[in-house]
Amino acid sequence: MARTEAPTDAIRKPPPVQDEEERLRELGYQPVLARRMGGFGNFAISFSVISVLSGCMTLYGFGLGTGGPAVMLWGWAGVGLFVLCVGLALAEVTSAYPTSGALYYMADRLGGRRWGWYTGWLNLLGLLGAIAGIDYGAALFTGAFLNLQWGFEPTVGSTFLIFLAILLLHAVLNLFGVRLVSVLNSVSVWWHLAGVAIIVGALAIIPERHQSAEFVFTEFVNDTGWANPFYVAAIGLLLAQYTFCGYDASAHLSEETSNASVAAAKGIVRAIWVSWIAGFALLAGLTFAIQDYAATQDSATGVPPAQILLDALGSGGATALLLVVIVAQLFCGNAEVAAASRMVFAFSRDNALPGSALWRKVSTRTQTPVPAVWLSVGVAALIAVPSLYSATAYGAVTAINVIGITPAYAIPIYLRLRAGERFTPGPWNLGRWSRPIGWTAVVWVAFVTVLFCLPQKSPVTVDTMNYAVIALAVVLVLASVWWYVARRSYGTPTAYGTAREEADIAEGIV
């Protein structure tokens, strides 16, 4: 029977938490995943998914034409502040509900089944779009590396083949279990921090000529075709907002993290502020080192940051540092596949996806959701197919990530605010700052969701339109249609072995 009212377990105080496995049972699930990740590993997966050496580098060329240096630098600073508010508010709810389902589970508990349903589908769209965006960006940089090293001329077709190979690599790595994923993410943290330091240091010391501070912080460039500078600057925020996505990975790995009620919350917040600092340093270092703006935009490598490295450091230095960036992007994509596959597993565990019985299966040997891994990389490959036909498709893929996953961050935050005193905080919480930070997060998310559905180029044609809004519409339609098929079987349980519907009937809710 379908439940028509919000669940009352959102207003009842849960019993004292004894340990994380017991807490998971109280939230409704039998532990089946291996809890082998520590606090640093949990922080590392979100930091690796945010990956300033992926997001900043792959969308740097986009930023050069949509506002230029001024929007990239000041936009990064401003967006980072608002994203930190989103992360703080989300971390508070994560502490109360540390499950692999993460966002949709929180929304279900605080608002009801439909809230959870649509949050889950939006979260899934964002996560799968992120895999496509990250790994396609890594393919672009790999093509640029091959161009510098061996004169390889990257084409649309060859880039897509490289992209498929990277997806396959990440699928295979994720099949070995969460311990390998955790080790790789821990290495990734130091690789990213060292990589940013080496790149910025080399670009600061080696080139004989640098741009002025006035150029870096005030130069505005508009190649979009739109006349309104405020609109162009707003569109240019995509670089920062896209990079600052994926920190929900810490929440999705909760069931595999020790002391998850605290460690997952801290992982989200730490990943954001460390990335905020590192990303600003990277963007400033690149922009100060631009030798020829037009040549950078029209680089034969197809990747403007590669041209900056080439002009400033020479072929040898550029090739070496490009390899550092590619490895960082591979770390990033691998972490995103881990997060997305756990979301697929959790959503299927609650019977929300077509074929849920298959996607929720877990390997008895590695305790890894193997079918969910393959579904994640398979759908990511399909999302990137338009890149074969449209030059602006990559920007649309990154926008899909933003308009899918960012609203999914805000929904549980909004529902927590709506619940007020009925919400029982976890051990990590914001106290009296919860409401101001939470409402700031919700308003910001509403703004960027609308913003990144808008066209990025003018005039708007088949080649230049923003296909992200179409992807969003398709997912919402699919979710709505599937709701009427699966609504009787979908639902999060109240305690392990007790279906949510049965609990509601017992209490006279349905």
Side-chain angles (χ1 to χ4, degrees):
M1 294 176 63
R3 178 161 44 79
T4 58
E5 298 182 19
T8 58
D9 61 339
I11 64 174
R12 294 196 304 266
K13 185 176 181 178
V17 178
Q18 299 175 15
D19 57 47
E20 292 297 340
E21 302 290 52
E22 180 62 26
R23 177 58 177 151
L24 187 60
R25 293 186 180 92
E26 290 168 359
L27 294 175
Y29 299 112
Q30 171 67 11
V32 295
L33 301 175
R35 201 175 288 275
R36 297 170 178 166
M37 183 175 285
F40 184 82
N42 187 277
F43 148 74
I45 192 166
S46 281
F47 182 75
S48 297
V49 172
I50 292 175
S51 181
V52 295
L53 286 175
S54 178
C56 291
M57 300 293 270
T58 53
L59 279 188
Y60 190 84
F62 174 86
L64 288 174
T66 51
V71 172
M72 284 194 286
L73 271 296
W74 291 113
W76 182 269
V79 170
L81 180 61
F82 285 112
V83 169
L84 185 60
C85 289
V86 178
L88 286 165
L90 184 63
E92 180 177 55
V93 190
T94 297
S95 180
Y97 302 109
T99 71
S100 293
L103 310 180
Y104 89 85
Y105 180 89
M106 302 170 196
D108 184 282
R109 283 299 175 94
L110 292 168
R113 296 169 73 236
R114 285 213 188 204
W115 280 104
W117 178 268
Y118 283 100
T119 301
W121 280 94
L122 287 170
N123 191 194
L124 191 59
L125 170 66
L127 288 168
L128 296 175
I131 296 174
I134 293 164
D135 282 2
Y136 195 84
L140 289 171
F141 272 74
T142 301
F145 172 81
L146 296 175
N147 175 266
L148 290 177
Q149 187 67 21
W150 293 289
F152 172 80
E153 292 296 333
T155 64
V156 172
S158 62
T159 299
F160 196 81
L161 289 176
I162 296 171
F163 165 66
L164 293 179
I166 293 172
L167 283 176
L168 179 61
L169 170 65
H170 287 152
V172 172
L173 288 174
N174 270 272
L175 298 182
F176 285 98
V178 73
R179 179 162 292 175
L180 176 60
V181 172
S182 182
V183 169
L184 290 174
N185 288 331
S186 297
V187 174
S188 172
V189 171
W190 302 113
W191 186 276
H192 274 81
L193 293 177
V196 169
I198 292 170
I199 291 171
V200 172
L203 291 177
I205 296 171
I206 297 175
E208 295 181 359
R209 174 181 172 272
H210 290 89
Q211 298 289 345
S212 66
E214 181 182 7
F215 172 87
V216 171
F217 292 103
T218 65
E219 183 72 13
F220 183 85
V221 179
N222 178 13
D223 294 332
T224 66
W226 297 109
N228 190 319
F230 296 103
Y231 182 86
V232 174
I235 293 297
L237 298 180
L238 177 60
L239 183 155
Q241 186 64 53
Y242 165 69
T243 305
F244 280 118
C245 276
Y247 42 87
D248 58 314
S250 289
H252 288 296
L253 273 290
S254 291
E255 293 182 32
E256 296 160 89
T257 301
S258 301
N259 192 26
S261 297
V262 174
K266 288 184 176 180
I268 291 171
V269 177
R270 287 173 178 170
I272 294 172
W273 70 258
V274 174
S275 298
W276 191 16
I277 296 171
F280 188 87
L282 178 63
L283 289 172
L286 286 169
T287 309
F288 271 111
I290 292 175
Q291 303 298 305
D292 186 323
Y293 203 94
T296 298
Q297 288 180 291
D298 299 327
S299 174
T301 66
V303 179
Q307 191 64 46
I308 293 174
L309 296 176
L310 185 62
D311 293 342
L313 309 176
S315 178
T319 302
L321 292 186
L322 208 55
L323 189 58
V324 171
V325 173
I326 292 169
V327 173
Q329 292 172 342
L330 293 178
F331 279 131
C332 173
N334 189 64
E336 186 63 37
V337 170
S341 62
R342 270 51 175 191
M343 172 61 196
V344 170
F345 158 76
F347 217 27
S348 299
R349 180 172 58 182
D350 291 328
N351 295 307
L353 295 180
S356 287
L358 172 61
W359 311 125
R360 64 172 171 253
K361 289 184 177 179
V362 175
S363 167
T364 55
R365 184 174 61 86
T366 63
Q367 293 180 279
T368 298
V370 174
V373 171
W374 288 113
L375 179 65
S376 299
V377 297
V379 175
L382 292 177
I383 289 175
V385 166
S387 66
L388 291 169
Y389 310 101
S390 171
T392 60
Y394 183 66
V397 168
T398 57
I400 286 172
N401 173 220
V402 171
I403 68 173
I405 207 167
T406 309
Y409 292 158
I411 292 172
I413 297 171
Y414 165 73
L415 294 173
R416 177 264 174 275
L417 293 168
R418 192 179 71 168
E421 296 301 321
R422 297 176 300 156
F423 171 75
T424 303
W428 193 100
N429 61 81
L430 298 173
R432 63 190 179 90
W433 290 99
S434 180
R435 295 190 69 81
I437 290 176
W439 282 115
T440 300
V442 170
V443 171
W444 172 253
V445 168
F447 168 69
V448 296
T449 300
V450 173
L451 179 63
F452 296 134
C453 286
L454 301 176
Q456 300 166 353
K457 294 283 187 178
S458 179
V460 180
T461 66
V462 172
D463 291 328
T464 62
M465 76 172 291
N466 186 351
Y467 290 95
V469 68
I470 296 177
L472 178 62
V474 168
V475 166
L476 291 177
V477 169
L478 176 61
S480 298
V481 171
W482 191 249
W483 167 258
Y484 289 100
V485 176
R487 69 184 187 276
R488 293 187 181 277
S489 60
Y490 163 74
T492 60
T494 54
Y496 177 61
T498 304
R500 172 69 74 85
E501 297 291 336
E502 295 172 356
D504 289 345
I505 293 171
E507 296 179 21
I509 296 174
V510 178

